[in-house]
Amino acid sequence: MTKAKKPEDLRSHRWLGVNDLRSFGHRARLRQGGFDGPDWTGKPVIGIINTWSDINFCHTHLRARAEDVKRGVIQAGGFPLELPAMSLSEPFVKPSTMLYRNLLAMETEELLRSHPIDGAVLLGGCDKTTPGLIMGAISMGIPAIFVPAGPQLRGNWHGQTLGSGSDAWKYWDEKRAGRISQEQWEEIEGGIARTFGTCMVMGTAATMMAAAEALGFSLPGAAAIPAADSAHPRLAANSGRRIVDMVWEDLTPQKILSKKAFDNAIRVHMAMGGSTNAIIHLVAMARRAGIAVDMNRFDELSREIPVIANVRPSGDYLMEDFYYAGGTRALMAELRGVLDLDCITVNGKTIGENIEGAEVYKREVIHTLDDPVSRDGATAVLIGNLAPQGCVIKPSAAEKRLHKHRGKVIAFEDYNEMAREVVREDLDVTADHILVLKNGGPKGGPGMPEWGMLPIPTKLLKQGVKDMIRISDARMSGTSYGACILHVAPESFIGGPLAFVQTGDEIEIDVPARKIHLHVSDAEMAKRKAAWKQPAPKYPRGYGALYLEHIGQADIGCDFDFLGPLGAIPEPEIH
Ligand code: FES
């Protein structure tokens, strides 16, 4: 290790290392906590930002993992302090955790800035926690390492494997179609989430944990380790040891992140068949780092990189199988020829060094680039008069016949109207119709809830219809599937073209040509626009009001305008 810093250079030295009245107060308070000089003198203070909470079962184990991190920090000569941050439990937080991702990012940044912290270990994994924690750490700029919570073990029901989300939608449709009983439905409820850890399909959690590793923000192989595997506490302790050295080396996020590192993360996302949500998060993370990455880059790389991870919803297996097949290192080794191998990572080594010797142990789970799971790509960005700033679809999770389609619209003004209508047995709908949902965007939702996988109308389900085109300015869970066109920008709430779509209009989709077109004349659109009234904002005060005032659209990652890569913020004065 090359030491770039001396103890007097540490941030924490200003709080603890000087001999004045203020530092007397700081040290006296540490002694109040039972610590003593040898705990902190000349040592980096490591902040463990922990998103554990009693209502986030993806993070149940993070309370224990924080202790493992502390063990590692102490072994390496650091002084660990745990700082709790909001947990963003995906299933429970309403209207959407996305409303609060930026709040977690702000909390992370300010926790690190306002305390005597020299380096950070970030504990998270449930969907928005990964980008929230990393965005905050990037903006703060001190050395930071991300410890992913890791996926749950496989779900189980009557000997069948159950996957988070995907199988909930599947069996809910079966129940609505009368093919499974209430009793069976309740059994599934008890078997679909058997252990702590994140969703174990290739949802947003698994995608973002892999993207973080590919960016260089986690130790090699970290992303796929199941939460319940004993390798996971070892990862936590190892990350604790490593962050201490990172502080001495002054290995900051700015030295790790680059355009090439983001390209690596996008390529890994594509190869994994990752969640469409990753587009929003990676764009926002890059923006924090002052690196230009836009939606088009995802489309470009999606054309080059097929899906090679055979994991649901694009494939057949789950993250536990993916780990046994070799995990992220093995997947990245398959991508060796297309990744930038020189990018540096948190362990001080390059991506190329980190994947050396990695092997695929189960070919049915991790395919080769020559024999992929799907050549359709994990993400396509469509542009057209309905979405001038773009919208996205996951071709690998949609029925192929819908990649080129023209159909009549059934439009819903909001989620409640949609929920009422799709269960009507007399709804005038066919499998060729296109369902359109408005007011599900960043401001309209608000928080861009995961409403984008609109339910197939009950009438069609009974006819055996499994997929149809659905369009919205909302997001969809990475555990979802189907021909869902998402993130339409600009959104309907602010008067984007989606706001003026009416039942009976026709929309044409051409995924290979990356086009989306609303067949309504410009004159008619202008007439509809003149008659349009913006819905009332849902939050007149509080955080929601701040959010509505500052949130950006999907194409710039839904970050707040004031959190971008602005000038440096002064270090707090100690007096
Ligand atoms: Fe936490 Fe899916 S609910 S990762």
mmCIF file of all heavy atoms in Angstrom, residues 428-466:
data_model
loop_
_atom_site.group_PDB
_atom_site.id
_atom_site.type_symbol
_atom_site.label_atom_id
_atom_site.label_comp_id
_atom_site.label_asym_id
_atom_site.label_seq_id
_atom_site.Cartn_x
_atom_site.Cartn_y
_atom_site.Cartn_z
ATOM 1 N N ASP A 428 -64.036 -3.020 -23.670
ATOM 2 C CA ASP A 428 -63.909 -3.251 -25.109
ATOM 3 C C ASP A 428 -62.419 -3.321 -25.464
ATOM 4 O O ASP A 428 -61.811 -2.331 -25.857
ATOM 5 C CB ASP A 428 -64.609 -2.096 -25.848
ATOM 6 C CG ASP A 428 -64.655 -2.339 -27.342
ATOM 7 O OD1 ASP A 428 -64.377 -3.485 -27.764
ATOM 8 O OD2 ASP A 428 -64.952 -1.396 -28.091
ATOM 9 N N VAL A 429 -61.815 -4.481 -25.272
ATOM 10 C CA VAL A 429 -60.363 -4.605 -25.447
ATOM 11 C C VAL A 429 -60.025 -5.926 -26.131
ATOM 12 O O VAL A 429 -60.674 -6.958 -25.897
ATOM 13 C CB VAL A 429 -59.643 -4.507 -24.073
ATOM 14 C CG1 VAL A 429 -60.025 -5.639 -23.137
ATOM 15 C CG2 VAL A 429 -58.127 -4.450 -24.224
ATOM 16 N N THR A 430 -59.005 -5.876 -26.988
ATOM 17 C CA THR A 430 -58.463 -7.090 -27.610
ATOM 18 C C THR A 430 -56.969 -7.129 -27.324
ATOM 19 O O THR A 430 -56.390 -6.136 -26.850
ATOM 20 C CB THR A 430 -58.652 -7.076 -29.142
ATOM 21 O OG1 THR A 430 -57.815 -6.033 -29.667
ATOM 22 C CG2 THR A 430 -60.103 -6.827 -29.531
ATOM 23 N N ALA A 431 -56.335 -8.233 -27.658
ATOM 24 C CA ALA A 431 -54.899 -8.368 -27.413
ATOM 25 C C ALA A 431 -54.084 -7.400 -28.265
ATOM 26 O O ALA A 431 -52.905 -7.154 -27.991
ATOM 27 C CB ALA A 431 -54.462 -9.810 -27.690
ATOM 28 N N ASP A 432 -54.708 -6.852 -29.311
ATOM 29 C CA ASP A 432 -53.994 -5.903 -30.182
ATOM 30 C C ASP A 432 -54.100 -4.462 -29.697
ATOM 31 O O ASP A 432 -53.446 -3.571 -30.230
ATOM 32 C CB ASP A 432 -54.533 -5.992 -31.612
ATOM 33 C CG ASP A 432 -54.110 -7.287 -32.273
ATOM 34 O OD1 ASP A 432 -53.056 -7.828 -31.868
ATOM 35 O OD2 ASP A 432 -54.834 -7.767 -33.159
ATOM 36 N N HIS A 433 -54.931 -4.231 -28.708
ATOM 37 C CA HIS A 433 -55.028 -2.868 -28.164
ATOM 38 C C HIS A 433 -53.729 -2.471 -27.469
ATOM 39 O O HIS A 433 -52.919 -3.323 -27.080
ATOM 40 C CB HIS A 433 -56.183 -2.774 -27.152
ATOM 41 C CG HIS A 433 -57.485 -2.387 -27.778
ATOM 42 N ND1 HIS A 433 -58.439 -3.305 -28.117
ATOM 43 C CD2 HIS A 433 -57.988 -1.162 -28.123
ATOM 44 C CE1 HIS A 433 -59.487 -2.680 -28.649
ATOM 45 N NE2 HIS A 433 -59.235 -1.376 -28.668
ATOM 46 N N ILE A 434 -53.570 -1.175 -27.286
ATOM 47 C CA ILE A 434 -52.418 -0.654 -26.543
ATOM 48 C C ILE A 434 -52.970 0.102 -25.328
ATOM 49 O O ILE A 434 -53.785 1.020 -25.484
ATOM 50 C CB ILE A 434 -51.589 0.295 -27.434
ATOM 51 C CG1 ILE A 434 -50.924 -0.521 -28.562
ATOM 52 C CG2 ILE A 434 -50.553 1.055 -26.612
ATOM 53 C CD1 ILE A 434 -50.101 0.305 -29.539
ATOM 54 N N LEU A 435 -52.551 -0.316 -24.139
ATOM 55 C CA LEU A 435 -53.005 0.363 -22.919
ATOM 56 C C LEU A 435 -52.047 1.521 -22.623
ATOM 57 O O LEU A 435 -50.826 1.342 -22.659
ATOM 58 C CB LEU A 435 -53.015 -0.601 -21.731
ATOM 59 C CG LEU A 435 -53.831 -1.889 -21.879
ATOM 60 C CD1 LEU A 435 -53.768 -2.701 -20.581
ATOM 61 C CD2 LEU A 435 -55.287 -1.595 -22.239
ATOM 62 N N VAL A 436 -52.617 2.684 -22.317
ATOM 63 C CA VAL A 436 -51.794 3.868 -22.020
ATOM 64 C C VAL A 436 -52.169 4.397 -20.635
ATOM 65 O O VAL A 436 -53.345 4.666 -20.370
ATOM 66 C CB VAL A 436 -51.997 4.973 -23.084
ATOM 67 C CG1 VAL A 436 -51.361 6.288 -22.631
ATOM 68 C CG2 VAL A 436 -51.404 4.548 -24.421
ATOM 69 N N LEU A 437 -51.174 4.530 -19.781
ATOM 70 C CA LEU A 437 -51.398 5.089 -18.443
ATOM 71 C C LEU A 437 -50.678 6.436 -18.333
ATOM 72 O O LEU A 437 -49.481 6.532 -18.603
ATOM 73 C CB LEU A 437 -50.852 4.141 -17.363
ATOM 74 C CG LEU A 437 -50.865 4.696 -15.934
ATOM 75 C CD1 LEU A 437 -52.290 4.907 -15.429
ATOM 76 C CD2 LEU A 437 -50.113 3.766 -14.985
ATOM 77 N N LYS A 438 -51.432 7.463 -17.906
ATOM 78 C CA LYS A 438 -50.839 8.804 -17.728
ATOM 79 C C LYS A 438 -50.600 9.077 -16.242
ATOM 80 O O LYS A 438 -51.127 8.382 -15.377
ATOM 81 C CB LYS A 438 -51.792 9.868 -18.265
ATOM 82 C CG LYS A 438 -52.240 9.647 -19.697
ATOM 83 C CD LYS A 438 -53.226 10.732 -20.114
ATOM 84 C CE LYS A 438 -53.873 10.358 -21.428
ATOM 85 N NZ LYS A 438 -54.870 11.367 -21.844
ATOM 86 N N ASN A 439 -49.857 10.126 -15.989
ATOM 87 C CA ASN A 439 -49.623 10.624 -14.625
ATOM 88 C C ASN A 439 -48.965 9.605 -13.693
ATOM 89 O O ASN A 439 -49.330 9.468 -12.528
ATOM 90 C CB ASN A 439 -50.929 11.169 -14.033
ATOM 91 C CG ASN A 439 -51.388 12.401 -14.789
ATOM 92 O OD1 ASN A 439 -50.599 13.322 -15.001
ATOM 93 N ND2 ASN A 439 -52.624 12.401 -15.242
ATOM 94 N N GLY A 440 -47.974 8.910 -14.232
ATOM 95 C CA GLY A 440 -47.177 7.987 -13.415
ATOM 96 C C GLY A 440 -45.701 8.372 -13.447
ATOM 97 O O GLY A 440 -44.845 7.571 -13.102
ATOM 98 N N GLY A 441 -45.403 9.594 -13.860
ATOM 99 C CA GLY A 441 -44.009 10.006 -14.041
ATOM 100 C C GLY A 441 -43.382 10.572 -12.776
ATOM 101 O O GLY A 441 -43.954 10.475 -11.687
ATOM 102 N N PRO A 442 -42.186 11.174 -12.926
ATOM 103 C CA PRO A 442 -41.475 11.707 -11.754
ATOM 104 C C PRO A 442 -42.320 12.698 -10.961
ATOM 105 O O PRO A 442 -42.349 12.656 -9.730
ATOM 106 C CB PRO A 442 -40.246 12.398 -12.369
ATOM 107 C CG PRO A 442 -40.051 11.751 -13.695
ATOM 108 C CD PRO A 442 -41.413 11.336 -14.176
ATOM 109 N N LYS A 443 -43.031 13.604 -11.647
ATOM 110 C CA LYS A 443 -43.880 14.568 -10.929
ATOM 111 C C LYS A 443 -45.306 14.069 -10.791
ATOM 112 O O LYS A 443 -45.998 14.373 -9.824
ATOM 113 C CB LYS A 443 -43.896 15.911 -11.676
ATOM 114 C CG LYS A 443 -42.583 16.658 -11.613
ATOM 115 C CD LYS A 443 -42.740 18.086 -12.075
ATOM 116 C CE LYS A 443 -41.412 18.804 -11.915
ATOM 117 N NZ LYS A 443 -41.535 20.244 -11.897
ATOM 118 N N GLY A 444 -45.774 13.330 -11.758
ATOM 119 C CA GLY A 444 -47.179 12.923 -11.788
ATOM 120 C C GLY A 444 -47.516 11.852 -10.770
ATOM 121 O O GLY A 444 -48.595 11.854 -10.195
ATOM 122 N N GLY A 445 -46.574 10.896 -10.560
ATOM 123 C CA GLY A 445 -46.856 9.783 -9.636
ATOM 124 C C GLY A 445 -47.299 10.240 -8.268
ATOM 125 O O GLY A 445 -48.363 9.866 -7.818
ATOM 126 N N PRO A 446 -46.532 11.097 -7.558
ATOM 127 C CA PRO A 446 -45.173 11.441 -7.939
ATOM 128 C C PRO A 446 -44.210 10.341 -7.513
ATOM 129 O O PRO A 446 -44.598 9.436 -6.787
ATOM 130 C CB PRO A 446 -44.909 12.724 -7.130
ATOM 131 C CG PRO A 446 -45.745 12.567 -5.907
ATOM 132 C CD PRO A 446 -46.957 11.752 -6.319
ATOM 133 N N GLY A 447 -42.979 10.456 -8.008
ATOM 134 C CA GLY A 447 -41.957 9.472 -7.633
ATOM 135 C C GLY A 447 -41.889 8.334 -8.637
ATOM 136 O O GLY A 447 -41.246 7.324 -8.387
ATOM 137 N N MET A 448 -42.574 8.491 -9.796
ATOM 138 C CA MET A 448 -42.439 7.505 -10.871
ATOM 139 C C MET A 448 -42.628 6.084 -10.345
ATOM 140 O O MET A 448 -41.723 5.251 -10.432
ATOM 141 C CB MET A 448 -41.026 7.653 -11.458
ATOM 142 C CG MET A 448 -41.008 7.728 -12.949
ATOM 143 S SD MET A 448 -39.317 7.870 -13.512
ATOM 144 C CE MET A 448 -39.533 7.296 -15.170
ATOM 145 N N PRO A 449 -43.783 5.798 -9.768
ATOM 146 C CA PRO A 449 -43.983 4.467 -9.182
ATOM 147 C C PRO A 449 -43.861 3.355 -10.230
ATOM 148 O O PRO A 449 -43.916 3.625 -11.434
ATOM 149 C CB PRO A 449 -45.415 4.530 -8.643
ATOM 150 C CG PRO A 449 -45.767 5.975 -8.594
ATOM 151 C CD PRO A 449 -44.973 6.634 -9.670
ATOM 152 N N GLU A 450 -43.729 2.134 -9.731
ATOM 153 C CA GLU A 450 -43.534 0.992 -10.645
ATOM 154 C C GLU A 450 -44.900 0.482 -11.113
ATOM 155 O O GLU A 450 -45.294 -0.648 -10.832
ATOM 156 C CB GLU A 450 -42.712 -0.087 -9.950
ATOM 157 C CG GLU A 450 -41.283 0.399 -9.729
ATOM 158 C CD GLU A 450 -40.359 -0.622 -9.106
ATOM 159 O OE1 GLU A 450 -40.848 -1.552 -8.445
ATOM 160 O OE2 GLU A 450 -39.136 -0.465 -9.277
ATOM 161 N N TRP A 451 -45.615 1.348 -11.828
ATOM 162 C CA TRP A 451 -46.940 1.009 -12.340
ATOM 163 C C TRP A 451 -46.875 0.568 -13.794
ATOM 164 O O TRP A 451 -47.903 0.304 -14.420
ATOM 165 C CB TRP A 451 -47.863 2.242 -12.269
ATOM 166 C CG TRP A 451 -48.172 2.734 -10.885
ATOM 167 C CD1 TRP A 451 -48.104 2.017 -9.721
ATOM 168 C CD2 TRP A 451 -48.622 4.054 -10.518
ATOM 169 N NE1 TRP A 451 -48.482 2.804 -8.661
ATOM 170 C CE2 TRP A 451 -48.807 4.052 -9.108
ATOM 171 C CE3 TRP A 451 -48.892 5.222 -11.233
ATOM 172 C CZ2 TRP A 451 -49.247 5.184 -8.425
ATOM 173 C CZ3 TRP A 451 -49.327 6.341 -10.547
ATOM 174 C CH2 TRP A 451 -49.502 6.334 -9.153
ATOM 175 N N GLY A 452 -45.678 0.543 -14.362
ATOM 176 C CA GLY A 452 -45.532 0.400 -15.816
ATOM 177 C C GLY A 452 -45.949 -0.957 -16.366
ATOM 178 O O GLY A 452 -46.251 -1.075 -17.548
ATOM 179 N N MET A 453 -45.948 -2.017 -15.521
ATOM 180 C CA MET A 453 -46.460 -3.299 -16.000
ATOM 181 C C MET A 453 -47.973 -3.311 -15.719
ATOM 182 O O MET A 453 -48.448 -3.948 -14.775
ATOM 183 C CB MET A 453 -45.782 -4.478 -15.311
ATOM 184 C CG MET A 453 -46.138 -5.799 -16.002
ATOM 185 S SD MET A 453 -45.369 -7.255 -15.280
ATOM 186 C CE MET A 453 -46.376 -7.555 -13.859
ATOM 187 N N LEU A 454 -48.714 -2.557 -16.535
ATOM 188 C CA LEU A 454 -50.169 -2.501 -16.350
ATOM 189 C C LEU A 454 -50.723 -3.921 -16.427
ATOM 190 O O LEU A 454 -50.300 -4.699 -17.291
ATOM 191 C CB LEU A 454 -50.815 -1.650 -17.457
ATOM 192 C CG LEU A 454 -50.796 -0.132 -17.311
ATOM 193 C CD1 LEU A 454 -49.388 0.407 -17.371
ATOM 194 C CD2 LEU A 454 -51.638 0.506 -18.416
ATOM 195 N N PRO A 455 -51.677 -4.262 -15.543
ATOM 196 C CA PRO A 455 -52.207 -5.629 -15.602
ATOM 197 C C PRO A 455 -52.902 -5.908 -16.932
ATOM 198 O O PRO A 455 -53.558 -5.021 -17.484
ATOM 199 C CB PRO A 455 -53.223 -5.667 -14.449
ATOM 200 C CG PRO A 455 -53.110 -4.366 -13.727
ATOM 201 C CD PRO A 455 -52.312 -3.419 -14.540
ATOM 202 N N ILE A 456 -52.759 -7.126 -17.428
ATOM 203 C CA ILE A 456 -53.534 -7.544 -18.605
ATOM 204 C C ILE A 456 -55.010 -7.555 -18.165
ATOM 205 O O ILE A 456 -55.338 -8.105 -17.112
ATOM 206 C CB ILE A 456 -53.135 -8.981 -19.031
ATOM 207 C CG1 ILE A 456 -51.622 -9.087 -19.267
ATOM 208 C CG2 ILE A 456 -53.941 -9.445 -20.235
ATOM 209 C CD1 ILE A 456 -51.117 -8.565 -20.556
ATOM 210 N N PRO A 457 -55.895 -6.921 -18.930
ATOM 211 C CA PRO A 457 -57.309 -6.922 -18.520
ATOM 212 C C PRO A 457 -57.821 -8.342 -18.280
ATOM 213 O O PRO A 457 -57.482 -9.280 -19.009
ATOM 214 C CB PRO A 457 -58.007 -6.262 -19.719
ATOM 215 C CG PRO A 457 -56.962 -5.367 -20.310
ATOM 216 C CD PRO A 457 -55.665 -6.111 -20.139
ATOM 217 N N THR A 458 -58.639 -8.465 -17.232
ATOM 218 C CA THR A 458 -59.140 -9.778 -16.809
ATOM 219 C C THR A 458 -59.776 -10.547 -17.971
ATOM 220 O O THR A 458 -59.560 -11.754 -18.127
ATOM 221 C CB THR A 458 -60.166 -9.589 -15.671
ATOM 222 O OG1 THR A 458 -59.539 -8.791 -14.660
ATOM 223 C CG2 THR A 458 -60.596 -10.913 -15.066
ATOM 224 N N LYS A 459 -60.529 -9.817 -18.789
ATOM 225 C CA LYS A 459 -61.209 -10.453 -19.927
ATOM 226 C C LYS A 459 -60.189 -11.163 -20.840
ATOM 227 O O LYS A 459 -60.432 -12.282 -21.308
ATOM 228 C CB LYS A 459 -61.936 -9.341 -20.691
ATOM 229 C CG LYS A 459 -62.691 -9.765 -21.902
ATOM 230 C CD LYS A 459 -63.398 -8.533 -22.472
ATOM 231 C CE LYS A 459 -63.774 -8.741 -23.922
ATOM 232 N NZ LYS A 459 -64.378 -7.521 -24.491
ATOM 233 N N LEU A 460 -59.051 -10.527 -21.077
ATOM 234 C CA LEU A 460 -58.042 -11.116 -21.967
ATOM 235 C C LEU A 460 -57.310 -12.274 -21.288
ATOM 236 O O LEU A 460 -56.947 -13.263 -21.932
ATOM 237 C CB LEU A 460 -57.029 -10.054 -22.410
ATOM 238 C CG LEU A 460 -57.591 -8.896 -23.245
ATOM 239 C CD1 LEU A 460 -56.469 -7.944 -23.647
ATOM 240 C CD2 LEU A 460 -58.292 -9.422 -24.500
ATOM 241 N N LEU A 461 -57.085 -12.107 -19.967
ATOM 242 C CA LEU A 461 -56.404 -13.189 -19.233
ATOM 243 C C LEU A 461 -57.163 -14.495 -19.379
ATOM 244 O O LEU A 461 -56.584 -15.556 -19.589
ATOM 245 C CB LEU A 461 -56.345 -12.847 -17.742
ATOM 246 C CG LEU A 461 -55.193 -12.021 -17.226
ATOM 247 C CD1 LEU A 461 -55.337 -11.882 -15.723
ATOM 248 C CD2 LEU A 461 -53.853 -12.655 -17.577
ATOM 249 N N LYS A 462 -58.493 -14.377 -19.303
ATOM 250 C CA LYS A 462 -59.327 -15.581 -19.401
ATOM 251 C C LYS A 462 -59.254 -16.191 -20.796
ATOM 252 O O LYS A 462 -59.533 -17.362 -20.980
ATOM 253 C CB LYS A 462 -60.761 -15.260 -19.002
ATOM 254 C CG LYS A 462 -60.863 -14.983 -17.506
ATOM 255 C CD LYS A 462 -62.281 -14.823 -17.024
ATOM 256 C CE LYS A 462 -62.281 -14.654 -15.511
ATOM 257 N NZ LYS A 462 -63.549 -14.221 -14.981
ATOM 258 N N GLN A 463 -58.870 -15.356 -21.772
ATOM 259 C CA GLN A 463 -58.700 -15.876 -23.141
ATOM 260 C C GLN A 463 -57.297 -16.431 -23.342
ATOM 261 O O GLN A 463 -56.949 -16.874 -24.422
ATOM 262 C CB GLN A 463 -58.945 -14.755 -24.163
ATOM 263 C CG GLN A 463 -60.358 -14.224 -24.191
ATOM 264 C CD GLN A 463 -60.460 -12.914 -24.983
ATOM 265 O OE1 GLN A 463 -59.542 -12.521 -25.709
ATOM 266 N NE2 GLN A 463 -61.574 -12.223 -24.826
ATOM 267 N N GLY A 464 -56.467 -16.323 -22.285
ATOM 268 C CA GLY A 464 -55.106 -16.870 -22.389
ATOM 269 C C GLY A 464 -54.075 -15.870 -22.887
ATOM 270 O O GLY A 464 -52.935 -16.235 -23.183
ATOM 271 N N VAL A 465 -54.441 -14.572 -22.965
ATOM 272 C CA VAL A 465 -53.486 -13.556 -23.425
ATOM 273 C C VAL A 465 -52.453 -13.308 -22.335
ATOM 274 O O VAL A 465 -52.794 -13.092 -21.171
ATOM 275 C CB VAL A 465 -54.218 -12.235 -23.782
ATOM 276 C CG1 VAL A 465 -53.211 -11.148 -24.142
ATOM 277 C CG2 VAL A 465 -55.200 -12.475 -24.921
ATOM 278 N N LYS A 466 -51.170 -13.350 -22.695
ATOM 279 C CA LYS A 466 -50.106 -13.202 -21.689
ATOM 280 C C LYS A 466 -49.353 -11.873 -21.822
ATOM 281 O O LYS A 466 -48.647 -11.455 -20.928
ATOM 282 C CB LYS A 466 -49.108 -14.358 -21.825
ATOM 283 C CG LYS A 466 -49.707 -15.729 -21.488
ATOM 284 C CD LYS A 466 -48.986 -16.298 -20.273
ATOM 285 C CE LYS A 466 -49.414 -17.598 -19.726
ATOM 286 N NZ LYS A 466 -50.578 -18.282 -20.047
#
